[in-house]
Amino acid sequence: IMCGIIGIASNKPVSINIINSLKKLEYRGYDSAGLATLNNNFIDEKKCSGRVVELEKILFKSPSNGNIGIGHVRWATHGVPNIINAHPHSSEEVSVVHNGIIENSDELKKDLEGQGFKFKSQTDTEVITVLVTKLLQNSKPLESVFKTLKKLKGSFALGIIFRNYSDIIIGARRGSPLAVGYSNEENYLGSDSYALKSMTNKISYLDDGELCVLTKNNVEFYDVNKKKINKKIYTVSDDENISDKGDYKNFMSKEIFEQSETIKKCLSEYTDSLKKDINIYNFPIEPKKINKIILIGCGTAYHSCLVAKYWLEELTTIDAEIDIASEFRYRNLKFNSNNLYIFVSQSGETADTAAALDICKKNNVKTCSIVNVVESTIARNSDWVLPIHAGPEIGVASTKAFLGQLIVLYILALKLSTIRGDTDKKIYSINLNNLKKLPEAIKNTFKLESEIQLIAKEFLDAKGSMFLGRGNSFPIALEGALKLKELSYLHAEGYPAGEMKHGPLALIEEGLPVIVIAPKDKYYEKTLSNTQEVIARGGKIFFITDNNKRLLSTNIRFRLKVPHVDNLLSPLLLTIPLQLLAYHVALLKNCDIDKPRNLAKSVTVE
Ligand code: M6R
C-alpha cells in the first residue's frame, strides 16, 4: 500500500491535527482514509472510503478526544478501496497504519488463521496487527514490534499505538520513508516532513531497519539490532509559496502559471551574472574523467532524462544513456567508476528510483540526484544533489518540476561542456545568455491559453490522440501524451514523428487529433513531411511551433506559435501548451485535476 502516515503524541487532543496532516498527505493516496486515537484505554478508530473530507465529517459528528493517535491515507494495492480495507487496522489491543507492501502476507495470514486468529480485511497490513497483538500476550510493545518485523518480508513504514500503553507510538521503517518531528510537549511521525511542516520544522529521518518510540516529551531511536541510537535533527527549509492555491482553481493551474517564476528562481540559484558562469562545483567525478552519464527516472522525470540525453550529446563529448528506474534496477548492468549516475525525481521518494540508486551505491559508483525535495531519501542517499528549487508541487501531474528538472539538466550539460573544453568560451557565454530570456518567454507562452481552450473542445469526443515530435521535441511529445492521459483519461500516444510509418500510422483516421511539435530546428522539414503523411490519412493537426512563417497547407486545424528561443531551450516552451491542453481537456471533462483517478503524487511502492 502506497500511502501517507501520520502519528501524534501530545498533551492535548490530536484528531484535528491528524486530519490537517492527512490533507497534506493526500498527494500520496486518496482512495480511503482513517485515524485511531487512544481514549481511556480504548482504541477509537474512524475510517471512510474516499477523501479526508469524508473523515472530517465523521469526526465532526462523533469527535475523537485522545491525546495520542495515528492517521492514514491510502492508495490501494491489496484489496479494493473500501472502509474495511482502509487503515488503521486495529485489534482490541493495537492499531496499525502502514505504507508499503508485506510480500509474505498470504503465508503469514494462513499460519495465523491456523492458530485461530481472525482477519477482517483483504489487506496485507492486517497481519501486522494480528502478529503484534499475539506477541503482546508475552512481551512489551517494543519487543513485540521487533519480533513482528523479523517475520515480515517487503517494504514498510509503520505507525502503531497500543491500548494498554497509552503514551507511546512506535514507528518503524524498512524501504518506505518515515520522518520524526519534534515540538514542545508534542512529537510526530510522518511519511514526509511536508506533512509535519505546519507543526514543526525540526525533523529526523529513520533509516532502513530503524525503529522509534515516541511519547509527547521524548523520542528514542533503535537500530536493527535493538541498540539505542542518536539521530541527527534537521531544520527543514521554510518555503514561502507552500501549499496555498491562492486565486487559482486548483494546484495544477497555479503550478503551471508559476513556471516563469520557478525557472527564474532556479536560474538565479545556479547562474552567477557577475562572473558570467554557472555555480556548480564539487563534481563527484572530475568532469574531464567522466566517461558516460546514465540518467534514470520514472514518468515525467524520465522524460526530462530523455531531453537531457539530446543536450549532453549536443553540448558535450560525454556519452549519455537513459533508463526507466523500474527497468534499470533489475538489469544485469556493468558498472563503471568513471560513469556518473544521475537520478531525477521530483519527490525524491519514488521507490523504483531510490532502489536504482541503492544498486549504484552497492556497486560503488558516483551518484547525483536532481530533486525538488532536498530532504528526501534520494537526495540524502546520493553523493551529489542538485535541487530544482521549484517549491512544493502538489498537483499529482508534474508540471513545474518537469521544467525545473529540464533547466538543471541543461545547466549541468552546459557547465560540463565548458569545464571539459567541449565548447569554446564564446558559445558558452552565448548559451548562458540565452537562459536569461527564458522566464519572459515562458510568461509569453501563457498567452496561448485562450486558443488552447478552443483546442481542448476538439479533444472531448475523440477516440484517442497522437503527439509527435522529433529530436528534443520527441520527449516533449511523450510528456504531452502522458499529461493528457493522466489528467483527462483520454488515450494518447507520444511518438517520434519519423516512426509513424512503421506502424502507428494505421491508427490515423478521419478527425483523429494529432499534435505536432515542430520548432524550427534541424528536423523541421522532416517533421513537416511526417505531418503531411498524417494529413493525407485524415488526421486533424494541431501544429505547435516557434516558426513565424505560416504554412501554406490549409489542412492544419490549428497552429500555436510559442516564442522563439534557442533550439536547445525550445523543449521548455513547447511543454507549456501541452500542460495547458491536458489541463483544459480535464477541466471540460470535469475530472479531478489535482488528484487524477488511480494515481498518487509520490510512488513509494515498486
Ligand atoms: O517524484 P518523481 O519525480 O520521482 O515521480 C516520478 C513519476 O511518478 C511522476 O513524474 C509521474 O509520472 C507524474 N504523475 C507525471 O505527471
Side-chain angles (χ1 to χ4, degrees), residues 87-332:
H87 294 215
H89 289 284
S90 311
S91 65
E92 272 187 24
E93 300 303 321
V94 300
S95 184
V96 178
V97 285
H98 167 215
N99 171 25
I101 291 181
I102 306 303
E103 286 164 3
N104 58 341
S105 63
D106 286 350
E107 247 165 74
L108 292 169
K109 189 169 174 181
K110 223 163 148 198
D111 184 36
L112 289 161
E113 278 173 337
Q115 298 172 40
F117 289 96
K118 296 263 175 299
F119 285 79
K120 294 179 266 191
S121 76
Q122 301 162 296
T123 64
D124 51 346
T125 306
E126 205 180 349
V127 296
I128 306 173
T129 311
V130 175
L131 273 172
V132 178
T133 307
K134 179 186 150 190
L135 292 160
L136 268 177
Q137 293 167 358
N138 299 314
S139 357
K140 290 261 163 39
L142 190 60
E143 195 56 32
S144 349
V145 174
F146 264 123
K147 285 185 186 157
T148 300
L149 298 191
K150 277 211 171 127
K151 292 185 188 292
L152 304 180
K153 291 198 181 124
S155 66
F156 46 79
L158 300 173
I160 310 177
I161 52 172
F162 305 81
R163 180 172 75 95
N164 286 327
Y165 301 85
S166 55
D167 58 341
I168 60 166
I169 304 178
I170 294 190
R173 170 190 172 150
R174 190 192 297 162
S176 306
L178 195 60
V180 163
Y182 310 84
S183 179
N184 194 17
E185 298 259 323
E186 204 164 87
N187 290 313
Y188 318 95
L189 200 63
S191 295
D192 56 31
S193 59
Y194 172 64
L196 308 181
K197 256 184 183 166
S198 61
M199 304 181 284
T200 181
N201 64 350
K202 298 274 177 264
I203 302 284
S204 294
Y205 297 96
L206 270 78
D207 287 315
D208 278 342
E210 291 177 357
L211 199 143
C212 63
V213 182
L214 261 78
T215 65
K216 62 177 191 293
N217 294 318
N218 187 33
V219 184
E220 283 174 357
F221 293 92
Y222 297 87
D223 70 7
V224 73
N225 303 315
K226 300 191 227 168
K227 206 175 119 227
K228 250 198 201 174
I229 48 169
N230 292 323
K231 297 293 291 181
K232 187 169 168 192
I233 301 178
Y234 297 86
T235 305
V236 296
S237 52
D238 211 10
D239 274 296
E240 329 85 53
N241 55 359
I242 214 158
S243 57
D244 183 7
K245 290 200 284 259
D247 291 337
Y248 290 96
K249 270 204 188 102
N250 40 52
F251 281 106
M252 185 188 181
S253 54
K254 172 184 178 251
E255 288 158 5
I256 291 176
F257 288 101
E258 227 168 50
Q259 291 178 109
S260 50
E261 284 310 310
T262 53
I263 288 297
K264 199 172 175 180
K265 165 136 201 291
C266 191
L267 285 174
S268 72
E269 297 277 349
Y270 283 104
T271 54
D272 184 331
S273 50
L274 285 177
K275 283 204 282 182
K276 298 202 171 22
D277 201 359
I278 290 169
N279 292 324
I280 297 187
Y281 309 101
N282 302 329
F283 284 82
I285 305 179
E286 211 276 290
K288 286 193 178 142
K289 292 203 178 124
I290 298 176
N291 170 49
K292 198 191 269 181
I293 289 186
I294 295 99
L295 299 136
I296 299 141
C298 301
T300 289
Y302 170 70
H303 295 156
S304 65
C305 297
L306 252 164
V307 180
K309 178 176 161 69
Y310 287 88
W311 284 333
L312 285 163
E313 287 172 352
E314 199 69 36
L315 291 164
T316 75
T317 51
I318 308 175
D319 255 354
E321 262 179 33
I322 42 173
D323 223 319
I324 291 178
S326 55
E327 291 297 314
F328 180 92
R329 62 184 290 192
Y330 291 115
R331 296 229 310 279
N332 192 7

Side-chain angles (χ1 to χ4, degrees), residues 564-575:
H564 175 74
V565 286
D566 179 67
N567 281 336
L568 287 170
L569 293 174
S570 60
L572 285 106
L573 295 192
L574 292 162
T575 301

